[in-house]
Amino acid sequence: MRTAATLIVGPSWVGDMVMAQALFKTLKQREPERAFDVLAPEWSLPIVARMPEIRQGIASETGHGEIGLGKRRRIASHLKTQGYDRAIVLPRSFKSALIPWFAGIPSRTGFRGESRFLLLNDRRPFDRTVLDQTVKRFVALGLEKGEALPGELPFPSLTISRENQARVLTALGLDREQPVVAMMPGAEYGPAKCWPHEYFAELALKLRQGGYAVWILGSAKDMAAGETIAAGSGAVNLCGKTSLEDVIDVLAACEQAVSNDSGLMHIAAAVGIHVHGLYGSSSSKFTPPLTKSRDIHETGIECSPCFERTCPLGHLRCLRDLKPESVFEKIALNSR
């Protein structure tokens, strides 16, 4: 007898994929014998592979914003043979609901919007006042229709590979003789989310003088920022030198992390280290690091959060008024 299975159409952003694990945990707790698969961009599958609730990740093949009807039909043709009886569509776009519809999955759940009337047959109302956090929006789609959100949602918790961790640390020449603070200066969304590089550099120098090792993590796009921060501080610039899978294990080797509101911040929270989240144009109420071991750093000035990619007023005071000294004090307080 074939195992009952649900297909989940996952989000496109790293941080959102991490937060979606709260839904996966909720579903698996309710139906432990059911299999759950995630359809997602190929680059996010290393994250999905570290979620024990998920049987397998399936590459969506389409790029960000790409309609790709031919690709979607081809994937749907394969999925049609896999026996899914339910699909949950997390993104709220029209195109994200196409594959479950093409695949003829009987029950297709998602939020109303973007003229998805035919594509979804279990359409849920989207109430921003109740669903005031990304994680709540994800979990709500796994509940029965009309069911209230539980008082506490499960936190993401990615599996750590100690074998891969040891391999990567050795390959990069890293040791843990000193407590390690990770720094993540990038944010794919835009510069209005990014704490000034000179502030990261000043904090890195204070940490090095205080007996900490500092590792800077990010993609190849963040390499120049990493070099700026590392220059004169003794921090190690690892930007562009690690895969997403490796970053998970490297972060787990750290004591604390200082990060813009980014996907790597959410990974740090999900591997169990203390997170210092830096918020400017975004809101800690909407996308907080999902852990109890955290400090939120934000100024709360009148124009923040604006949710813009670049500062519309040109001053970036929401982040420039957030000084390195205050972050350093919190790190020292939380040191083991």
Side-chain angles (χ1 to χ4, degrees):
M1 184 177 178
R2 177 176 276 178
T3 302
T6 295
L7 177 72
I8 302 165
V9 180
S12 296
W13 297 95
V14 169
D16 286 356
M17 183 61 77
V18 175
M19 289 187 281
Q21 194 184 15
L23 165 65
F24 308 156
K25 287 189 171 191
T26 299
L27 292 169
K28 197 65 176 177
Q29 184 177 30
R30 291 179 170 219
E31 297 185 84
E33 301 305 318
R34 176 174 283 270
F36 298 97
D37 296 343
V38 172
L39 178 70
E42 188 168 8
W43 52 259
S44 69
L45 296 186
I47 300 174
V48 175
R50 298 301 187 91
M51 298 177 174
E53 304 81 16
I54 300 304
R55 179 177 63 178
Q56 66 173 333
I58 303 165
S60 60
E61 297 185 19
T62 52
H64 189 67
E66 180 185 359
I67 297 295
L69 287 178
K71 292 179 182 177
R72 294 179 195 274
R73 286 185 181 277
R74 185 171 66 253
I75 294 169
S77 178
H78 167 70
L79 296 179
K80 191 176 289 188
T81 67
Q82 302 305 300
Y84 296 110
D85 59 9
R86 186 184 184 193
I88 300 175
V89 182
L90 299 188
R92 290 187 289 134
S93 64
F94 178 86
K95 59 183 178 295
S96 64
L98 283 170
I99 288 178
W101 183 64
F102 285 150
I105 298 174
S107 174
R108 305 181 299 279
T109 300
F111 289 118
R112 296 172 186 164
E114 282 213 355
S115 303
R116 303 199 293 181
F117 184 79
L118 289 176
L119 303 184
L120 301 174
N121 54 17
D122 177 19
R123 295 175 295 279
R124 305 293 180 88
F126 184 70
D127 186 341
R128 291 180 183 272
T129 58
V130 175
L131 304 176
D132 58 352
Q133 291 184 332
T134 298
V135 66
K136 291 181 182 179
R137 296 173 184 182
F138 291 158
V139 172
L141 291 177
L143 305 180
E144 296 296 324
K145 208 164 190 174
E147 181 182 353
L149 285 165
E152 288 191 13
L153 304 183
F155 288 146
S157 54
L158 300 177
T159 300
I160 308 305
S161 170
R162 298 300 174 188
E163 181 180 356
N164 185 59
Q165 183 185 76
R167 181 191 64 78
V168 173
L169 295 184
T170 299
L172 295 173
L174 302 173
D175 64 60
R176 301 164 68 184
E177 293 180 3
Q178 297 173 301
V180 183
V181 175
M183 287 187 171
M184 289 86 91
E188 284 290 322
Y189 185 76
K193 271 190 172 186
C194 295
W195 205 39
H197 297 160
E198 62 267 27
Y199 285 10
F200 273 109
E202 184 179 335
L203 177 60
L205 181 58
K206 285 179 176 292
L207 288 167
R208 293 291 295 132
Q209 292 171 341
Y212 296 88
V214 178
W215 300 345
I216 308 166
L217 294 167
S219 68
K221 296 178 183 177
D222 304 312
M223 194 174 295
E227 286 301 313
T228 298
I229 297 165
S233 71
V236 180
N237 181 18
L238 301 175
C239 295
K241 298 180 181 179
T242 53
S243 67
L244 190 55
E245 179 183 20
D246 294 340
V247 164
I248 295 170
D249 296 326
V250 170
L251 277 171
C254 300
E255 179 186 273
Q256 302 185 56
V258 180
S259 179
N260 300 319
D261 177 15
S262 67
L264 294 188
M265 179 192 74
H266 291 287
I267 289 177
V271 300
I273 66 174
H274 191 89
V275 175
H276 297 268
L278 308 168
Y279 285 83
S281 68
S282 59
S283 169
S284 63
K285 294 182 175 61
F286 184 54
T287 53
L290 299 178
T291 174
K292 291 182 179 179
S293 184
R294 72 188 190 196
D295 280 293
I296 302 298
H297 302 269
E298 56 191 346
T299 56
I301 63 173
E302 63 279 358
C303 56
S304 177
C306 66
F307 298 103
E308 298 290 341
R309 293 179 182 270
T310 58
C311 177
L313 302 177
H315 54 58
L316 201 65
R317 276 189 50 219
C318 58
L319 287 166
R320 288 198 170 275
D321 287 356
L322 184 59
K323 301 301 183 183
E325 292 84 354
S326 64
V327 180
F328 178 80
E329 289 171 2
K330 289 290 188 180
I331 292 173
L333 283 173
N334 285 287
S335 192
R336 294 169 187 163

